[in-house]
Structure formats: C-alpha cells, structure tokens
Amino acid sequence: MKLSVTAYGETGTPVVVMHGLFGSGRNWMTAARRLADRHRVFAFDLRNHGTSPHVETMSYPEMADDVRETIESLGVGPVALVGHSMGGKTAMLTALQYPVVVERLVVVDAAPVAYPPAFVEYARAMRNADLSSITRRAEVDAQLADAVPTPGTRAFLLQNLILDADGARWRPNLPVIEAALPAISGWPAVEGRRYDGPTLFIYGGKSDYVQQDHRATIAAYFPHVRYAEVPEAGHWVHAERLDDFLAALTPFLG
C-alpha cells in the first residue's frame, strides 16, 4: 500500500524517516525540519499508524513492501532510509529485500534480532480506556497511569489520541497492533540476504536494544556497517538528544 507521507525541504538528496511502535511521522518533525536544510525529507506513517490505512495484518515483510511501493510512487529513489525501533526493523528488511530503493541505511536503536514481547500492556491499556465521555487528555492520562507509570511515556502515547467535535478516539489500529506485537518484537527469517550499501547504526548509551553480542548478526546482514553511540540517550534517541543524534547522522547522509 502507499503510505501517508509528510514532506520537508525542496532540494537535496532524498531522506525517508520512519517512526517506531505507537508513533507517526510527526515524531520526526523537528529532526526533519533540521535535515531539510540540505535534504528532501519524507516522513512516513507506517501501516495502522498515523494517517496511513488501517488493515487487518501487520508484518515486517508487508511493511517493507509498503515502504518500497511508497518510495517508488514518490519517484525519488534510491533514498537514505532512516528508521527508529519498529521503523528501524522495517528499514533493515526494506534494504535487504529491495536494495534498489535504498542508497544508504540508518537504523536507530534496533537490531535484526527478536526481543522479548513488549508494550502489550500499553496497547491493552489504550484499547480498554473508556473514551465515551472524555473532554480532556488529562482524563485519559489518568486511566493509563497504572499500566504506564512513566509520565513521558504516557505523553508519547497520548499523541495518538484524537479529541475533536466527534469525541475522543485513538488514531492507530490498536486491535491489529496488539495482535501483531509478537511479530513486531521478532525478526523475520531472511537468512542468506545482505545489504551492501553504507549502513549506520545509531544507538542510545542508556538503551539495551543494540548490544555487543548483536554485532556479529548485524555484520552478517550489513557488512559495511558502522556504529555511533549517543551516550546520554535511551531508546528514543532522536527525541531525547536531538543535537547529538544529528551530529552522528548528518555526516553519514553526506
């Protein structure tokens, strides 16, 4: 499917940025505006997120095919493909399966490995929230507090809440996302494939998503890999330490 796209910048080489689970292209707005001084930046909403279509299935092969189709429809490829977390796994698989559309690859705090299933409680709490008489975001925030104790995480999730004249509702396709979480936490079987383009893994020093013992697996898929650590960042590297993140990313984009 063709994904929803927000474009920034008029000239320069094309850069596609992709969000993580429960995110949207809007999460990249500040970084994209900074990058737009030198690049044409396209922020994608992945399926079942943001304003992209809601569908009944959600696997990495499907998402990679969505990305390929959308890049081809824009007529801007090959691109520098940048993805965070779930978007990073989608970017990796896109590069492995459709290298013709990926000029270079940037993976932000993710590795081509299976992680323990996470965020199930978040999805369930969002889906079970009573939105029938909501007039303020604070009312939903209070409902999420037990399952999502960290205020910053709740604020991130609440970016997905639409509150308008028609009432309150969630923008993502929560039932499908919740059902797909085991696959999203995992990594598809793509043994024997490799991407030979320039590749950069940027990771947070306070995150454990990219570990030393992942590097042999990463190198098998991406032999021209290099790494950049942002020491003071956790998992949401580009949100927590934007200047440090851009200092690592910008030279690689050229």
Side-chain angles (χ1 to χ4, degrees), residues 138-201:
E139 296 169 317
V140 184
D141 183 80
Q143 292 190 53
L144 298 180
D146 286 344
V148 189
T150 306
T153 304
R154 291 200 306 275
F156 168 72
L157 296 175
L158 285 168
Q159 292 179 22
N160 291 291
L161 183 69
I162 300 172
L163 191 59
D164 57 21
D166 295 324
R169 60 198 181 278
W170 295 110
R171 185 175 281 110
N173 189 348
L174 291 176
V176 170
I177 292 173
E178 184 177 347
L181 281 175
I184 292 170
S185 299
W187 173 248
V190 286
E191 285 76 10
R193 290 184 179 270
R194 56 183 258 175
Y195 171 71
D196 286 315
T199 303
L200 175 66
F201 276 65

Side-chain angles (χ1 to χ4, degrees), residues 82-231:
V82 183
H84 170 248
S85 197
M86 179 186 75
K89 285 189 170 182
T90 302
M92 285 187 273
L93 192 61
T94 303
L96 290 168
Q97 292 191 324
Y98 310 109
V100 69
V101 301
V102 182
E103 189 270 332
R104 61 189 55 224
L105 173 67
V106 181
V107 182
V108 185
D109 217 61
V113 299
Y115 297 110
F119 304 114
V120 174
E121 296 86 354
Y122 297 175
R124 190 169 296 135
M126 293 166 72
R127 192 163 55 82
N128 290 337
D130 182 2
L131 305 182
S132 58
S133 57
I134 292 298
T135 58
R136 297 181 299 117
R137 290 180 184 273
E139 296 169 317
V140 184
D141 183 80
Q143 292 190 53
L144 298 180
D146 286 344
V148 189
T150 306
T153 304
R154 291 200 306 275
F156 168 72
L157 296 175
L158 285 168
Q159 292 179 22
N160 291 291
L161 183 69
I162 300 172
L163 191 59
D164 57 21
D166 295 324
R169 60 198 181 278
W170 295 110
R171 185 175 281 110
N173 189 348
L174 291 176
V176 170
I177 292 173
E178 184 177 347
L181 281 175
I184 292 170
S185 299
W187 173 248
V190 286
E191 285 76 10
R193 290 184 179 270
R194 56 183 258 175
Y195 171 71
D196 286 315
T199 303
L200 175 66
F201 276 65
I202 304 176
Y203 61 96
K206 296 181 177 180
S207 171
D208 59 2
Y209 276 72
V210 180
Q211 300 179 14
Q212 191 67 36
D213 60 5
H214 294 156
R215 293 200 176 195
T217 300
I218 291 170
Y221 288 121
F222 309 105
H224 301 289
V225 65
R226 65 185 79 168
Y227 295 91
E229 178 183 348
V230 180

